[in-house]
Amino acid sequence: MSGDETSPGDSTDPLKVGELISIAEAADYAGLARHSLLTYARHGRLRAKKLGSQWVTTHAAVDAYLASRDTKSIPKKYRPPS
């Protein structure tokens, strides 16, 4: 599932839930690098939009992205302990 799809039965757009936050704020919230989230936004894995020169998203969109990640796609050294 890509970042701009919603799960079946969930028609809520995560960009319309809550207030918009910068990619830097989203990175702090998610515990990820700002550059990584910016790349995910540009490639559509994270629901975000560009306002002028700034990319913005919401906490709900970050939560949706984090929930959609496949642990196997994360390099072993960064995976949570199992």
Side-chain angles (χ1 to χ4, degrees):
M1 179 182 294
S2 73
D4 55 357
E5 294 175 2
T6 56
S7 60
D10 183 10
S11 61
T12 305
D13 180 354
L15 283 180
K16 296 181 180 178
V17 178
E19 87 179 47
L20 295 174
I21 59 173
S22 70
I23 292 294
E25 290 171 301
D28 287 342
Y29 173 72
L32 299 170
R34 184 189 64 79
H35 180 74
S36 296
L37 284 188
L38 188 57
T39 300
Y40 302 150
R42 286 182 176 146
H43 292 250
R45 292 178 61 195
L46 169 67
R47 293 281 296 152
K49 62 183 171 182
K50 196 169 183 184
L51 296 177
S53 63
Q54 296 289 326
W55 281 89
V56 294
T57 189
T58 63
H59 286 105
V62 174
D63 291 340
Y65 165 72
L66 292 173
S68 73
R69 292 194 318 177
D70 178 14
T71 305
K72 292 178 185 174
S73 67
I74 301 171
K76 284 186 181 182
K77 67 181 182 177
Y78 298 114
R79 290 183 197 171
S82 43

